[in-house]
Amino acid sequence: RAINLGVSKVTTNYVGTVDDDTMIDDPKLFGKLLNALNADSSIGIAGAACVIPETASDFQKRAMREIPRRFFPVQERTVDSDMVQHPCLLMPRELFLEIGGEDEELVRGLDPVLRKKVRDAGKRVAIIADTWISHLIPDGFWKVVRMYYRNGLGSGYASRMYPDRVLELGDGYDEGAFEERKPFIHRVFRRLWSLIVSLFRLEFIKIAADIAYIAGVAKERLFPSRAASPPAVLGVSEEERDGYSFKLRVCKVTLQEP
């Protein structure tokens, strides 16, 4: 809802998202993304690789190497990739509106749905060459466990309420060969096999994250705790803030308590 609201307030040719914990150390990043979109109209979403910064703790470096989709190296050429995610993406505003924007009902799994909408519109989803951000995992074992349990709750809700929107996640090296869905039983056994492999590799952070995620999914499917519909919007307030080199408009949305 926040992204859709923001897009509705602007008239720029392109719109993008950056998470509140995204780290950017390349001042040319958005110029590279814009140049790629302007040079190739077949690209529907332009994203950046995700690297591990030197400032990360030893725990964070290990966790991001063990857990899938937390690290994706800088690419020498622009590649179609499932690793384009909300921590950093840019796309034509017209295309965003054409595909109906973000899904406002899901609490987890927004990235795959947005990518699918863009591909269904006949556009590419690509990591742009020589671009990168950092999107650190929480610094602490139990913080990671809590995060993946929460993610599991969200995925359990999505699979219970909107099974048609639960999509596969690639490793990023798919080069356009995306497989959108696999049977639930296949995903279960794949997760179990991943646990076994991680045990042999002594990837204890990944094992804990997988177990926490499975526990969250199981809990939400067996003992639902989330409402079946999004909370109602009680009001929206806006304010413009000075002191920036760009126009900053802050929108605050008040939701009904569950």
Side-chain angles (χ1 to χ4, degrees), residues 30 32 72 109 116 169 173 181 241 250 256:
F30 292 103
K32 295 174 183 177
F72 191 70
K116 173 177 168 51
L169 294 173
Y173 298 95
R181 291 185 179 86
R241 296 184 182 177
V250 179
Q256 185 178 35

Side-chain angles (χ1 to χ4, degrees), residues 183-195 214 217:
F184 176 73
I185 191 67
H186 178 276
R187 299 199 303 272
V188 170
F189 279 103
R190 179 180 60 191
R191 183 74 64 168
L192 293 175
W193 175 249
S194 175
L195 277 172
I214 292 171
V217 171

Side-chain angles (χ1 to χ4, degrees), residues 36-255:
L37 287 166
N38 284 324
D40 189 346
S41 61
S42 70
I43 299 176
I45 306 182
C50 188
V51 301
I52 305 172
E54 289 299 320
T55 55
S57 69
D58 290 342
F59 173 83
Q60 288 172 315
K61 291 176 180 178
R62 178 175 176 180
M64 293 180 71
R65 293 285 184 182
E66 288 187 11
I67 300 175
R69 298 183 60 83
R70 302 302 309 191
F71 165 72
F72 191 70
V74 177
Q75 300 296 295
E76 295 182 359
R77 61 184 179 86
T78 295
V79 295
D80 288 25
S81 175
D82 205 42
M83 280 298 292
V84 177
Q85 303 178 86
H86 282 95
C88 181
L89 63 82
L90 209 64
M91 64 185 296
R93 179 175 177 270
E94 184 177 345
L95 175 62
F96 182 90
L97 297 175
E98 176 188 320
I99 63 176
E102 298 280 2
D103 190 308
E104 296 190 4
E105 295 177 316
L106 291 175
V107 294
R108 178 73 182 161
L110 288 171
D111 290 309
V113 172
L114 183 64
R115 291 191 294 261
K116 173 177 168 51
K117 286 182 176 182
V118 170
R119 293 178 189 130
D120 287 349
K123 297 293 186 177
R124 296 169 57 200
V125 177
I127 294 290
I128 306 305
D130 191 34
T131 64
W132 68 91
I133 61 161
S134 297
H135 191 232
L136 283 175
I137 203 166
D139 191 9
F141 179 81
W142 291 111
K143 290 181 180 179
V144 170
V145 168
R146 285 194 295 269
M147 182 182 78
Y148 276 89
Y149 178 74
R150 180 200 66 204
N151 291 350
L153 288 173
S155 295
Y157 173 81
S159 63
R160 177 170 60 87
M161 299 299 302
Y162 311 104
D164 58 314
R165 300 181 218 173
V166 177
L167 305 174
E168 284 291 301
L169 294 173
D171 60 6
Y173 298 95
D174 13 62
E175 297 274 350
F178 303 105
E179 188 171 4
E180 292 182 354
R181 291 185 179 86
K182 287 185 178 179
F184 176 73
I185 191 67
H186 178 276
R187 299 199 303 272
V188 170
F189 279 103
R190 179 180 60 191
R191 183 74 64 168
L192 293 175
W193 175 249
S194 175
L195 277 172
I196 294 171
V197 172
S198 296
L199 280 170
F200 279 101
R201 293 178 177 174
L202 303 179
E203 296 174 334
F204 298 116
I205 302 174
K206 180 179 181 298
I207 292 169
D210 279 347
I211 291 175
Y213 182 89
I214 292 171
V217 171
K219 192 271 178 189
E220 187 60 33
R221 288 180 69 93
L222 296 174
F223 307 102
S225 60
R226 293 183 179 271
S229 60
V233 176
L234 298 181
V236 179
S237 63
E238 298 181 37
E239 63 173 301
E240 290 192 10
R241 296 184 182 177
D242 300 324
Y244 297 87
S245 59
F246 48 86
K247 187 174 183 179
L248 177 62
R249 178 183 293 130
V250 179
C251 301
K252 297 182 179 180
V253 181
T254 303
L255 300 179

